[in-house]
């Protein structure tokens, strides 16, 4: 399990634990309602706190790596309260008192106490621990639940008054009913990682957004009572590279659908992959037949290695045709990666991009897939039947190979 996945689960549980409710503020807002309750237990000592992963421990001293990448030295004072919580805990009632020796490298901890002499030191009077093995198990269970009870697609309409969102997945429309208990999350502008998603609202969801939802489905699958909704606004581009500046990390292309020239920035967060020729040919065959193939549409919740990813793990290069609901992000992860330097003018690409300014001709690549010449040849008008999705989408993933 990735560090990011464990971080997400830990954040969510700790915030539930301290706030007494599902998180209603961002993780970096541990002040206020969240941290105030932690302070109530030890008001004199709670002048500082840190969340991070244990990288080393020797005696009563731990070295943490915070999620900002900083190294913090934590000295656990004599008599410190050390508690272990389980994923899903809503309070400290079920927490178990443990010894300092029970903490291991890789565990996630929330420490609170007094600031040390430097910004990278802290004397901890309380440590709340979540074991890395427990996080991994929780992560696996959430992934399975998203696969079983999740669905997604493109937002067709939103009725904020009734809390209803209509999602289109291929030719199917799904009515998503939200309520007071529904958790809304919104993806960051340049990332589809769940740990980068921020708590959001129903009002942020707009027609054309890509959305993934988990909840209780109706028997015919036409409606769903939402427990958690993850949405994001991404732009799909497809075309051939007109210019390329590898040193600046920029490319330009004429988008087939809009016929507009677009400038695409490729950053360290951009995921560049190459589609094998065999897989591209099979996707192209589906496009010619009008089917919503494995790269059609959108959806995907807890995309990437986050705590909810939906769809069975598989790849385009494993020599097997996959069923509907395959997680495209997992397929992409098994494709060969590349860099801007591997691309060249004239290459056909499909891109999922974020666009901070809707009127701008400059976007930032989230995912870029090359090797798609057969697909674009089959859909010369840029029809959305073969748009690349950053998340999960229905349609079989074709057999592929390297």
């Amino acid at each position: 399990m990735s560090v990011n996945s464990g971080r997400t689960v830990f954040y969510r549980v700790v915030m539930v634990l301290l706030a007494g409710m599902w998180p209603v503020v961002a993780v970096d807002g541990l002040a206020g309602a969240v941290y105030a309750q932690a302070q109530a237990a030890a008001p004199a000592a709670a002048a500082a706190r840190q969340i991070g992963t244990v990288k080393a421990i020797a005696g009563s001293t731990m070295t943490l790596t915070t999620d900002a990448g900083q190294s913090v030295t934590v000295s656990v004072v004599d008599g410190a309260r050390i508690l272990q919580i389980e994923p899903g805990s809503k309070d400290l009632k079920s927490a178990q008192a443990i010894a300092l020796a029970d903490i291991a490298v890789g565990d996630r901890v929330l420490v609170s106490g007094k600031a040390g002499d430097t910004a990278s030191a802290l004397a901890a009077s309380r440590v709340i621990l979540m074991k890395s093995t427990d996080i991994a198990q929780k992560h696996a269970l959430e992934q399975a639940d998203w696969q079983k009870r999740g669905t997604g697609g493109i937002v067709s309409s939103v009725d904020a008054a009734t809390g209803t969102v209509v999602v289109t997945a291929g030719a199917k429309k799904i009515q998503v009913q939200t309520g007071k208990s529904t958790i809304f999350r919104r993806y960051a502008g340049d990332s589809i990682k769940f740990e980068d998603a921020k708590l959001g609202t129903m009002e942020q969801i707009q027609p054309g957004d890509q959305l993934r939802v988990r909840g209780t489905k109706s028997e015919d699958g036409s409606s769903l009572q939402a427990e958690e909704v993850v949405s994001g606004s991404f732009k799909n581009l497809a075309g051939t590279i007109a210019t390329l500046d590898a040193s600046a990390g920029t490319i330009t292309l004429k988008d087939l659908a809009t016929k507009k020239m677009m400038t695409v920035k490729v950053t360290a967060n951009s995921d560049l992959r190459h589609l094998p020729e065999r897989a591209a040919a099979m996707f192209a065959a589906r496009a010619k037949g009008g089917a919503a193939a494995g790269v059609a549409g959108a959806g995907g919740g807890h995309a990437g290695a986050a705590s909810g990813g939906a769809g069975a793990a598989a790849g385009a290069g494993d020599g097997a045709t996959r069923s509907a609901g395959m997680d495209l992000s997992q397929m992409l992860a098994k494709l060969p990666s590349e860099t801007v330097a591997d691309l060249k003018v004239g290459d056909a690409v499909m891109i999922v991009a974020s666009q901070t300014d809707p009127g701008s001709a400059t976007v930032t690549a989230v995912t870029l897939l090359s090797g798609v010449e057969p697909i674009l040849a089959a859909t010369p008008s840029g029809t959305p039947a073969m748009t690349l999705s950053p998340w999960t989408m229905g349609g079989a993933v074709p057999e592929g190979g390297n």
Side-chain angles (χ1 to χ4, degrees), residues 1 50 180 195 197 227 260 262 271 296 339 349:
M1 184 195 68
Q50 291 286 353
K180 292 182 179 179
E195 61 270 16
E227 296 173 10
K260 295 180 179 179
M262 302 294 295
D271 186 19
T339 66
V349 293

Side-chain angles (χ1 to χ4, degrees), residues 5 115 154 198 235 285 375 381:
S5 302
I154 300 291
K198 307 297 183 183
K235 191 174 185 66
I375 297 175
S381 64

Side-chain angles (χ1 to χ4, degrees), residues 51 119 147 149 160 171 180 251 258 294 299 305 311 324 327:
I51 295 177
Q147 180 179 346
R149 302 194 303 128
K180 292 182 179 179
I251 65 174
T258 63
D327 190 340

Side-chain angles (χ1 to χ4, degrees), residues 190-203:
D190 63 347
S191 174
I192 55 171
K193 295 178 180 179
F194 182 74
E195 61 270 16
D196 293 335
K198 307 297 183 183
L199 288 166
T201 65
M202 173 80 171
E203 288 69 28

Side-chain angles (χ1 to χ4, degrees), residues 142-166:
E142 287 190 345
Q143 281 187 317
D145 194 45
W146 273 95
Q147 180 179 346
K148 181 180 179 181
R149 302 194 303 128
T151 190
I154 300 291
V155 176
S156 298
S157 63
V158 181
D159 187 339
T162 62
T164 304
V165 180
V166 177

Side-chain angles (χ1 to χ4, degrees), residues 145 148-151 213-217 224-228:
D145 194 45
K148 181 180 179 181
R149 302 194 303 128
T151 190
V213 57
R214 174 173 62 163
T216 303
K217 301 176 185 177
L224 184 148
Q225 188 66 42
E227 296 173 10
E228 188 166 9

Side-chain angles (χ1 to χ4, degrees), residues 3-13 27 108 135 142 185 194-196 305-307:
V3 172
N4 284 336
S5 302
R7 178 185 308 164
T8 300
V9 176
F10 182 77
Y11 279 167
R12 293 169 68 182
V13 173
V27 170
R108 297 283 295 169
I135 293 173
E142 287 190 345
R185 297 186 185 278
F194 182 74
E195 61 270 16
D196 293 335
S307 64

Side-chain angles (χ1 to χ4, degrees), residues 64-65 75 84 100-101 118 135-136 159 226 274 295 305 316 325 332 341 352 376 387:
L64 303 185
T65 298
S75 299
Q84 179 178 336
L100 182 60
T118 66
I135 293 173
D159 187 339
H274 181 78
V295 288
L332 289 174
V352 176
L376 299 194
T387 54

